[in-house]
Amino acid sequence: MTKKILTSFILLFTTLIFAQNEKEITVKGKIVDASTQTPLEYATIVFTSTTDASDVTGGITDTKGNYNIKVAAGTYNISYEYIGFKKLTINNKSITSNTNLGTTSLSVDAETLDEIEIVAEKTTVDIRLDKKIYNIGKDLTTAGGTVSDALNNVPSVSVDIEGGISLRGNENVRILINGKPSALAGFGDSNVLSQLPAEAIERVEVITSPSARYDAEGTAGILNIILRQKETLGFNGSINLNAGNPDLVGVATTLNYRTEKFNLFSNIGFRYFDAPRTSDSDTYYFDYLDEDGILQTPEYRQIIEDQDVTRLNRNYNGNIGMEYFLSDKTSLTGSFFYRYGEDADLSTNISERYNGGLVEQTTRYERQNEEDNSYQFALNYITKFDDKGHQLTADFQYVIDKEEQFTFLDENYDFTEDANPEPFQREQIYQTEDQKEYLVQADYVLPIGEDSRFEAGYRGSFQNEVTDYLLEQENITDGSLFVNDTITNVFDYSENVNALYTQYGTKLGKFSFLLGLRLEHTQLKGKIDSRLSDQELNDAFGFPIDTDFDKNYLGLFPTVNLIYNLAKEDQKEESITLGYNRRINRPRGWFINPFPTRSSRTRVFQGNPNLDPAFSSTFDLGYLKRWDKLTLTTSVYYQHETDSFERVQENTGSVTTDGINIIRTIPVNLSTNKRTGAELGVLYNPEKWLRLNSSINFFQFNTEGEFNGVDYSAKNTSWFARFSSKVTLPAKIDWQTNAFYRGARSDAQSDTDGIFSMDLAFSKEIFKDKATLSLNVRDLFNSRKRNSVTTTATERVTSEFQWRQRQITLSMIYRFNQKKDRNRGNRNNDYNGDDEFEG
């Protein structure tokens, strides 16, 4: 192998030297549309030597369809290509001097255009042994939007008003980008997906019964987001411009240049937006018993708070890479991703305190500035030993993320009956988060005969997160700042996972199965460096915590996926699927860090370093029936989870300087959580001008467990549904409406009302279908608000929360050397999961 590589380098070096003295010949010409004689810009011309097939050169046409290419004297096979047109090849063309090949006409490929139109306009579903693949159609309501907006239109998936993503009502969903964890997904922080453009998505794989190939993380399942990359020869791309209200300005460009030997690709974007947020709460305090059992009256009977937050965000992201084809069956891809985010938030919280009448009013200001830098370097190697699926892939990925945050907090009296009120302390918080992640992965696929396949692989993921938190508070007597030793800390947390897997799939007549087994070793390691002793920390947090822990878990995760094809040979697809899998939910760093948040004096979130992973077993039974114009999917599922995470609210026993009880929310391992549900989806296209898409998901959670002597057992029944219609109006204007409703839900402490929202959009192709102009309104009625009532032993809180207001966006995307979006993947998208065994 080394000798071959050395020989290749010598030949390449020699060729380059002699090429300097070799006479170059100029070949000119023009390429036009055969039917309209319109010049075809960015069409591709490829010259392949008849004596040496590896001698390939070429170029592209300019905006007038002209090309001017330099080649060496010789005999060539010349090919002309353009998207949606039939390829034209001229064989054995002798070129010995400067040549003008004149005008070449290319004819439209009707079959290709039909295929393009079908794929681009419709959202389709494809059922595999372990997943449902939703090809995202031309969704007008997400034009100018984000990945989170697009996910909210995928059946089984819902995105709450805070940007949290859930699958079948379960928030513990694993987010992958092109089959792997990625900085694009923000180390599992789904809020990062609110910064990436929706146009980047090619398809979404909803994996409710993941095979053994996938990481066992995520008890709800996996959402695998496949990003667009082009595979067209030559130079092509698109530019996307957005503007909207509240303030939104964005620009993104996708550029791609591909030859027979390599593929260069890039995605670069900028996004500025203002995302105002509002919340209101009304808290009524009950009389309570103190530690001595004496009935006490609260300092205030009622507190009403009104918070408005202005969030100015500036985000830059860029992804560049190259796929180099070492041979027809082997390629090496390298890519670099960078994301920079700069946020400036201002929160104003007006608090009114009552004892019958108004006693006092204060205003609390919180200014927060944040900078976030993410870098990701990835290498992918793939070799295909034959054309039957025998292949080996290897991946390496290194990610660095650094976040710096400064927060200033200040509260002042607007009105008070107290003649000598105690002033509030100013606070300043300096926080940095440094995250690093290494990923090493290898997958081997071996077909056995025509209908069977064996797979095996290894995956190692090594993550480290260091949070440095410094709190300074004001000395009321002289105005100076001092370090709060109780809260200031450094939290060093690591999650290391090593996994081996194997699986086997085969097809026996109409019956197919995929059996797998995954072995994972998980290490959760953390150290809290605080200025307090362990005993002082235990006293401060009210429960014993481990400040230096190293937990190890070894688990087996079997998967079973079955498909039985019911359809006869002359019928459309009809099948039944059955899946079983065991999965794990590992606690994230912020769920473990025990130091409380400071955005509110009276309500804090506090992590729990005593958290252990949760484990679940899930059964899924599904049915698919496809007719000419109608596709029906349905399934029922059951999940049993042990040591599940639940957030509980409790009184800390501490009070603020003005006598208000401090309530904390803390995640704990409750004993069990049983989930049962059913879902139904319908895709209906009765006419070319009308497309309908709807789904409904019904589920019930049954939680059993207690914490600190309080029983938090509860049964929660809820549902969500969505409906989408797309109509083609006269003048080729498309009109799309999306409606979503999430039913009311409840748990041991809270009851939450249902939420309804509607999106509306219009679009039209312009500039001879090279550009699309779209106008959309997300949350048309400004109704996407969460209203809830939370009741504990000491209080009842009625609240309303709106994460993002109604958004109006005008968007234009211009494509060059492309027709409408084609949703065709690059070879680089074959992450060894794209061609999952179908049986």
Side-chain angles (χ1 to χ4, degrees):
M1 178 63 71
T2 303
K3 186 176 180 180
K4 289 182 178 180
I5 294 175
L6 181 60
T7 302
S8 299
F9 273 114
I10 293 173
L11 289 173
L12 178 61
F13 183 68
T14 304
T15 302
L16 290 174
I17 293 176
F18 282 97
Q20 305 301 317
N21 299 319
E22 188 173 340
K23 181 181 178 182
E24 288 186 331
I25 295 172
T26 299
V27 180
K28 298 180 180 180
K30 185 175 184 178
I31 302 178
V32 299
D33 183 330
S35 59
T36 65
Q37 295 302 302
T38 302
L40 298 179
E41 57 180 313
Y42 303 113
T44 305
I45 310 95
V46 178
F47 292 80
T48 304
S49 173
T50 58
T51 58
D52 182 2
S54 64
D55 182 6
V56 179
T57 188
I60 58 176
T61 58
D62 59 21
T63 56
K64 296 182 179 180
N66 298 316
Y67 60 88
N68 189 318
I69 302 171
K70 295 185 181 299
V71 300
T75 303
Y76 295 91
N77 294 329
I78 307 174
S79 62
Y80 302 87
E81 293 183 65
Y82 189 70
I83 298 297
F85 287 74
K86 295 180 180 178
K87 179 179 178 180
L88 176 64
T89 302
I90 300 175
N91 294 320
N92 299 315
K93 178 67 175 180
S94 178
I95 299 177
T96 57
S97 60
N98 292 340
T99 304
N100 189 335
L101 295 177
T103 300
T104 302
S105 299
L106 298 183
S107 301
V108 172
D109 188 338
E111 293 183 2
T112 302
L113 286 181
D114 288 341
E115 175 188 348
I116 289 171
E117 193 70 17
I118 291 173
V119 174
E121 296 296 332
K122 296 181 182 179
T123 296
T124 61
V125 59
D126 186 15
I127 303 295
R128 302 289 178 92
L129 268 167
D130 65 342
K131 72 186 76 170
K132 296 176 183 176
I133 302 176
Y134 292 95
N135 293 299
I136 303 300
K138 186 183 172 189
D139 194 338
L140 309 183
T141 62
T142 63
T146 67
V147 170
S148 290
D149 297 321
L151 290 178
N152 206 35
N153 291 333
V154 175
S156 303
V157 179
S158 61
V159 182
D160 65 24
I161 60 174
E162 296 178 353
I165 297 170
S166 61
L167 181 58
R168 290 174 168 175
N170 187 350
E171 294 181 355
N172 183 228
V173 56
R174 180 69 158 164
I175 307 294
L176 301 179
I177 303 291
N178 291 341
K180 297 184 286 293
S182 172
L184 276 73
F187 291 96
D189 179 5
S190 59
N191 286 330
V192 175
L193 299 178
S194 298
Q195 303 171 7
L196 300 175
E199 287 78 12
I201 295 182
E202 176 177 316
R203 65 181 185 274
V204 176
E205 297 180 348
V206 179
I207 309 175
T208 54
S209 184
S211 68
R213 170 190 296 147
Y214 295 100
D215 180 11
E217 170 70 29
T219 56
I222 295 173
L223 288 180
N224 187 24
I225 301 170
I226 308 300
L227 301 182
R228 298 182 190 274
Q229 289 182 9
K230 309 302 179 184
E231 64 176 1
T232 310
L233 285 175
F235 181 65
N236 60 84
S238 63
I239 298 176
N240 190 8
L241 303 174
N242 306 298
N245 179 267
D247 292 347
L248 166 66
V249 177
V251 57
T253 179
T254 299
L255 301 174
N256 191 87
Y257 179 70
R258 180 180 174 118
T259 70
E260 298 288 348
K261 203 64 179 176
F262 65 86
N263 181 36
L264 292 172
F265 54 89
S266 69
N267 297 276
I268 301 172
F270 165 76
R271 184 179 175 87
Y272 168 84
F273 61 98
D274 177 13
R277 171 171 67 85
T278 62
S279 63
D280 303 294
S281 67
D282 185 346
T283 305
Y284 182 86
Y285 293 91
F286 308 130
D287 294 338
Y288 62 96
L289 296 175
D290 62 15
E291 295 178 354
D292 299 322
I294 300 175
L295 186 66
Q296 299 288 340
T297 301
E299 183 73 16
Y300 302 102
R301 182 60 69 183
Q302 183 182 22
I303 298 180
I304 298 176
E305 293 185 273
D306 182 2
Q307 184 186 48
D308 292 296
V309 182
T310 300
R311 298 176 293 176
L312 299 178
N313 298 268
R314 289 169 291 276
N315 299 300
Y316 306 82
N317 64 82
N319 183 35
I320 60 173
M322 183 178 77
E323 180 180 15
Y324 185 75
F325 306 111
L326 302 172
S327 68
D328 289 341
K329 301 184 182 300
T330 302
S331 67
L332 179 67
T333 303
S335 64
F336 176 77
F337 169 77
Y338 172 70
R339 177 172 58 84
Y340 172 75
E342 185 178 308
D343 301 342
D345 299 349
L346 174 61
S347 169
T348 304
N349 188 2
I350 299 175
S351 178
E352 298 175 343
R353 292 142 198 180
Y354 294 86
N355 280 322
L358 178 63
V359 176
E360 69 180 27
Q361 176 180 305
T362 65
T363 300
R364 182 177 175 85
Y365 298 96
E366 177 180 351
R367 292 197 299 270
Q368 185 178 91
N369 295 311
E370 180 180 313
E371 291 186 3
D372 188 7
N373 286 273
S374 293
Y375 307 84
Q376 175 178 295
F377 175 73
L379 281 175
N380 168 265
Y381 171 83
I382 179 170
T383 183
K384 299 182 179 181
F385 301 104
D386 54 32
D387 295 325
K388 299 180 180 180
H390 186 198
Q391 66 181 37
L392 172 68
T393 61
D395 290 276
F396 171 78
Q397 187 170 282
Y398 176 55
V399 180
I400 301 175
D401 182 83
K402 184 176 181 62
E403 183 179 302
E404 296 181 354
Q405 188 180 94
F406 171 75
T407 306
F408 175 82
L409 298 165
D410 190 21
E411 188 166 357
N412 298 293
Y413 291 97
D414 300 322
F415 163 78
T416 179
E417 292 183 344
D418 191 342
N420 297 298
E422 183 173 348
F424 301 105
Q425 292 176 301
R426 281 187 300 115
E427 294 185 354
Q428 293 184 168
I429 301 171
Y430 302 88
Q431 178 175 311
T432 62
E433 292 183 8
D434 292 309
Q435 302 182 71
K436 295 181 181 179
E437 178 181 0
Y438 296 88
L439 174 70
V440 180
Q441 182 172 332
D443 299 279
Y444 176 71
V445 181
L446 176 64
I448 302 175
E450 293 293 328
D451 298 319
S452 301
R453 191 163 78 178
F454 168 81
E455 298 181 46
Y458 162 79
R459 183 179 183 274
S461 174
F462 312 97
Q463 303 177 36
N464 175 254
E465 177 181 344
V466 179
T467 303
D468 191 337
Y469 187 95
L470 174 67
L471 171 63
E472 292 182 340
Q473 293 179 300
E474 180 185 12
N475 186 328
I476 298 299
T477 58
D478 60 10
S480 63
L481 295 174
F482 66 93
V483 176
N484 182 314
D485 290 332
T486 303
I487 302 298
T488 296
N489 72 96
V490 177
F491 182 48
D492 190 334
Y493 180 66
S494 296
E495 177 187 292
N496 301 317
V497 181
N498 286 280
L500 294 170
Y501 80 89
T502 183
Q503 62 184 25
Y504 175 76
T506 192
K507 180 179 180 181
L508 302 172
K510 294 187 175 183
F511 177 76
S512 304
F513 69 82
L514 182 63
L515 307 178
L517 184 64
R518 189 177 186 91
L519 174 67
E520 286 195 352
H521 175 265
T522 299
Q523 180 190 43
L524 304 179
K525 186 177 182 180
K527 183 176 182 180
I528 300 171
D529 184 4
S530 172
R531 305 188 182 197
L532 299 181
S533 66
D534 289 355
Q535 185 58 49
E536 288 175 322
L537 283 174
N538 291 340
D539 294 341
F541 296 122
F543 59 90
I545 63 174
D546 191 349
T547 59
D548 190 357
F549 60 88
D550 188 349
K551 301 179 181 180
N552 291 268
Y553 308 87
L554 185 65
L556 281 174
F557 301 92
T559 62
V560 179
N561 290 292
L562 314 173
I563 288 184
Y564 183 73
N565 184 12
L566 298 172
K568 297 180 180 179
E569 293 184 1
D570 59 343
Q571 293 179 336
K572 294 291 183 179
E573 182 179 356
E574 183 180 14
S575 62
I576 295 176
T577 60
L578 176 64
Y580 164 78
N581 64 85
R582 183 172 187 262
R583 301 189 63 74
I584 185 174
N585 179 12
R586 305 180 184 95
R588 303 268 72 85
W590 70 287
F591 255 41
I592 290 181
N593 192 333
F595 292 90
T597 57
R598 302 295 296 177
S599 58
S600 171
R601 293 187 302 114
T602 59
R603 300 187 177 279
V604 299
F605 177 86
Q606 187 174 358
N608 181 2
N610 300 328
L611 276 181
D612 292 319
F615 294 87
S616 71
S617 294
T618 304
F619 297 87
D620 187 295
L621 177 65
Y623 172 77
L624 167 73
K625 175 68 174 178
R626 200 190 308 271
W627 292 270
D628 287 335
K629 298 181 179 181
L630 177 68
T631 299
L632 172 70
T633 60
T634 184
S635 66
V636 293
Y637 52 89
Y638 171 77
Q639 181 182 86
H640 184 272
E641 184 176 358
T642 59
D643 288 330
S644 61
F645 303 160
E646 298 290 340
R647 303 183 195 186
V648 299
Q649 293 186 22
E650 62 177 12
N651 193 331
T652 62
S654 302
V655 296
T656 62
T657 56
D658 49 350
I660 305 174
N661 290 329
I662 298 177
I663 307 298
R664 73 175 170 197
T665 300
I666 183 172
V668 298
N669 289 113
L670 290 181
S671 57
T672 61
N673 192 343
K674 301 174 184 177
R675 298 182 177 94
T676 306
E679 60 183 348
L680 173 69
V682 177
L683 301 173
Y684 184 44
N685 299 277
E687 303 290 343
K688 288 184 177 181
W689 55 268
L690 177 62
R691 290 172 289 280
L692 305 175
N693 180 359
S694 66
S695 64
I696 185 170
N697 195 304
F698 174 86
F699 52 88
Q700 182 181 85
F701 294 174
N702 189 1
T703 302
E704 300 175 357
E706 65 174 39
F707 178 70
N708 282 349
V710 179
D711 186 3
Y712 290 100
S713 299
K715 182 176 290 187
N716 169 31
T717 300
S718 187
W719 61 284
F720 65 86
R722 59 170 48 86
F723 173 79
S724 176
S725 68
K726 187 176 178 185
V727 179
T728 301
L729 302 173
K732 295 184 178 180
I733 296 175
D734 287 331
W735 166 29
Q736 183 171 331
T737 303
N738 287 357
F740 176 84
Y741 180 79
R742 175 162 184 162
R745 62 188 190 276
S746 62
D747 56 30
Q749 294 180 311
S750 300
D751 294 298
T752 303
D753 295 341
I755 299 176
F756 172 80
S757 65
M758 178 178 287
D759 302 336
L760 192 66
F762 298 89
S763 81
K764 179 173 175 55
E765 302 297 321
I766 57 177
F767 301 148
K768 299 181 179 180
D769 287 352
K770 292 181 180 179
T772 304
L773 187 66
S774 303
L775 175 66
N776 65 53
V777 183
R778 285 192 291 276
D779 194 9
L780 177 65
F781 303 111
N782 204 34
S783 57
R784 196 174 171 85
K785 302 176 182 179
R786 182 180 64 205
N787 290 278
S788 63
V789 177
T790 300
T791 305
T792 68
T794 59
E795 63 180 15
R796 182 180 65 249
V797 183
T798 303
S799 64
E800 180 179 273
F801 181 81
Q802 184 176 26
W803 180 258
R804 189 174 68 176
Q805 298 178 10
R806 174 176 50 225
Q807 179 76 50
I808 303 174
T809 305
L810 180 64
S811 174
M812 188 184 79
I813 181 170
Y814 179 80
R815 301 171 290 272
F816 47 92
N817 200 16
Q818 300 178 19
K819 289 290 182 183
K820 296 181 182 180
D821 289 344
R822 297 172 304 284
N823 285 12
R824 293 179 175 179
N826 186 0
R827 285 176 55 180
N828 190 41
N829 278 344
D830 187 3
Y831 57 89
N832 197 26
D834 189 28
D835 58 349
E836 176 66 76
F837 178 78
E838 298 180 63

